Amino acid sequence: MPKDRAPTRIQQKNRAAILDAALNVFSAHGYRGATVDQIATEAGLSKPNLLYYFPSKEAIHTALLTGLLEVWLAPLHELDENGEPLEEILSYVRRKLEMSRDLPRESRLFANELVQGAPRIHDALSSDLKKLVDEKTAILTRWMDQGKIARLHPYHLIFSIWALTQHYADFDVQVRAILGDEDPFEGAETFVDTLYRKLLTP
Amino acid sequence: MPKDRAPTRIQQKNRAAILDAALNVFSAHGYRGATVDQIATEAGLSKPNLLYYFPSKEAIHTALLTGLLEVWLAPLHELDENGEPLEEILSYVRRKLEMSRDLPRESRLFANELVQGAPRIHDALSSDLKKLVDEKTAILTRWMDQGKIARLHPYHLIFSIWALTQHYADFDVQVRAILGDEDPFEGAETFVDTLYRKLLTP
DNA sequence: CGTGAGTTTGACCAGATGGTCAAATCAAGA
DNA sequence: TCTTGATTTGACCATCTGGTCAAACTCACG
């Protein structure tokens, strides 16, 4: 394993290639379904070479998840108390939907992990995620108190946004099996827009 | 393997035990993450004994999925053109939510399969499921034409129901990490009820 | 009972898989 | 160029896993 000095050019390139390959493989097959060989091949390395950069399969998975959790929660971070309530929420929804369209692998990585009980990120859920959600639901509640949006259960409001937007990435095959050639995201965008406008209008 | 006569008492009992154990294991770990030994132990059988009843791991999985697809689609089947539109849709939503609460293993079984690209039920999706959905969206469209419910993209309306209801079973850990002790389904029920009332009112 | 079909199991196998290691190769600074 | 640390690899290992098989056991029924 490389000493912990400043990473060399090669180290940067290879670690990035490994994480990208791992994202492909883990998101498509889940943790257990992914093989180190597959990741190595996809990253253009031999298996021992890959294990020179990461000590184990699990280490790759953990590095991926923790690295992406930040990306994953960014849209919610941006929800701004000082903005116009309805517009703030709608653009959060829009950002989440864009992530489903542009980063479906990331969405499925988390979906795989969550649907199997989140054995490897359970802690992050009940600390980081919970904290962020509590912070933002407080804002939503204040908006409701001020009569700026309809009164709803704030947690379930957040859940609904996650469910509606991530559905298009996570269950992509199903969506496409039903829609055929139609682009899922065009319809989805106007649908969720209408939905939250109607729902949130007091 | 047993001859194809009428199944004996033992055969019935063991096949049922195997399928129930398999539902536990597959829904919790996905196809690849499940092991035959685990299923056998959970069913109270030895591995060779299990393989006396089902020829392979995949056969168990297929038997499960095909057997449960029917159960899974039943609520949508019940959507009745002759009923009162809003109430019909609301009770469909309610039935789906009840399934998430009462049959979370089934929900996660399909979620696992779908999120990984549905390699084993792709056909059923684009034939049976597609057919059923087309049939029911036609009803929805007619209701919209008659001005009985708001005009929306019917496919995305169905997707939204699936997403909102199954979310509580599939991502149960996440939901509970955020809600703490609060019962997810109580809040969910009133939330989705409000949501679809507002959304569907023309 | 006895007998034949139905049921169960211990021992075993082949392939897949995560991971190790010593040796070989490469790259950059002195 | 030479040296030293970084990088790469072929060979190898232990374990897990799906699946097989022949032998043993059990049960219903004549």
Side-chain angles (χ1 to χ4, degrees), chain B residues 18-167:
Chain B
I18 290 168
L19 288 175
D20 187 70
L23 178 55
N24 277 336
V25 178
F26 282 131
S27 68
H29 305 288
Y31 180 77
R32 194 67 161 44
T35 80
V36 176
D37 256 315
Q38 220 178 330
I39 300 172
T41 304
E42 198 141 329
L45 301 174
S46 65
K47 183 169 62 164
N49 196 9
L50 180 148
L51 290 167
Y52 168 72
Y53 291 100
F54 287 89
S56 70
K57 180 184 178 181
E58 182 144 16
I60 306 174
H61 194 245
T62 306
L64 248 194
L65 283 173
T66 58
L68 289 175
L69 191 58
E70 208 175 321
V71 176
W72 203 238
L73 299 183
L76 185 50
H77 266 294
E78 291 174 38
L79 189 86
D80 179 11
E81 171 144 32
N82 299 314
E84 202 281 304
L86 181 59
E87 278 312 314
E88 280 297 318
I89 297 172
L90 285 178
S91 52
Y92 172 51
V93 172
R94 234 172 284 128
R95 284 194 296 272
K96 284 291 287 178
L97 199 55
E98 279 160 19
M99 291 193 68
S100 264
R101 186 190 55 201
D102 300 335
L103 306 174
R105 297 180 304 168
E106 285 79 349
S107 190
R108 282 194 281 264
L109 181 77
F110 287 110
N112 258 303
E113 182 68 9
L114 286 175
V115 81
Q116 292 180 16
R120 274 166 280 273
I121 52 162
H122 201 276
D123 289 352
L125 292 187
S126 35
S127 57
D128 300 1
L129 177 64
K130 167 94 172 125
K131 189 172 152 244
L132 174 63
V133 171
D134 280 345
E135 204 177 301
K136 298 303 183 178
T137 49
I139 298 178
L140 295 175
T141 305
R142 254 168 269 143
W143 286 343
M144 293 175 195
D145 290 343
Q146 295 162 10
K148 293 186 172 165
I149 56 175
R151 179 164 304 281
L152 295 162
H153 194 307
Y155 285 136
H156 289 279
L157 176 55
I158 298 275
F159 294 157
S160 76
I161 297 174
W162 293 347
L164 284 174
T165 56
Q166 294 173 8
H167 186 86

Side-chain angles (χ1 to χ4, degrees), chain A residues 107-121:
Chain A
S107 189
R108 283 193 280 264
L109 181 78
F110 286 109
N112 259 303
E113 183 68 8
L114 286 175
V115 81
Q116 292 179 15
R120 275 165 279 272
I121 51 162

Side-chain angles (χ1 to χ4, degrees), chain A residues 2-195:
Chain A
K3 302 285 162 60
D4 51 8
R5 304 182 187 160
T8 69
R9 184 176 35 88
I10 293 178
Q11 273 169 47
Q12 287 184 21
K13 199 193 80 197
N14 283 345
R15 290 183 68 97
I18 290 167
L19 288 176
D20 187 70
L23 177 55
N24 278 336
V25 179
F26 282 131
S27 68
H29 305 289
Y31 179 76
R32 194 66 160 47
T35 80
V36 175
D37 255 315
Q38 219 179 331
I39 299 173
T41 303
E42 199 141 326
L45 301 175
S46 64
K47 183 169 60 165
N49 197 8
L50 179 148
L51 290 168
Y52 169 74
Y53 290 99
F54 288 89
S56 69
K57 180 184 176 180
E58 182 144 16
I60 305 174
H61 193 244
T62 306
L64 247 194
L65 282 174
T66 59
L68 289 175
L69 190 58
E70 210 175 320
V71 177
W72 202 238
L73 299 183
L76 186 51
H77 266 293
E78 292 175 38
L79 188 85
D80 179 12
E81 172 144 30
N82 300 314
E84 202 282 303
L86 181 60
E87 278 312 314
E88 280 296 319
I89 296 173
L90 284 177
S91 54
Y92 172 51
V93 172
R94 232 173 285 126
R95 283 194 297 273
K96 284 291 288 178
L97 199 56
E98 278 160 19
M99 290 192 69
S100 263
R101 186 191 53 202
D102 301 336
L103 307 174
R105 297 178 304 168
E106 284 80 349
S107 189
R108 283 193 280 264
L109 181 78
F110 286 109
N112 259 303
E113 183 68 8
L114 286 175
V115 81
Q116 292 179 15
R120 275 165 279 272
I121 51 162
H122 201 276
D123 289 353
L125 292 187
S126 35
S127 58
D128 299 2
L129 177 64
K130 166 94 173 127
K131 189 172 152 244
L132 174 62
V133 171
D134 281 344
E135 205 177 302
K136 298 305 183 177
T137 48
I139 298 178
L140 295 175
T141 305
R142 255 169 268 142
W143 286 343
M144 292 175 196
D145 290 345
Q146 297 163 8
K148 293 186 172 164
I149 55 174
R151 179 164 302 281
L152 294 162
H153 193 307
Y155 285 136
H156 289 279
L157 176 56
I158 299 274
F159 294 156
S160 76
I161 297 174
W162 293 347
L164 284 174
T165 56
Q166 293 173 8
H167 187 86
Y168 291 94
D170 300 344
F171 305 124
D172 179 75
V173 253
Q174 183 175 246
V175 168
R176 289 184 195 276
I178 286 169
L179 283 184
D181 288 332
E182 193 180 330
D183 176 43
F185 290 95
E186 284 183 24
E189 200 177 340
T190 69
F191 182 86
V192 296
D193 191 90
T194 316
L195 188 152

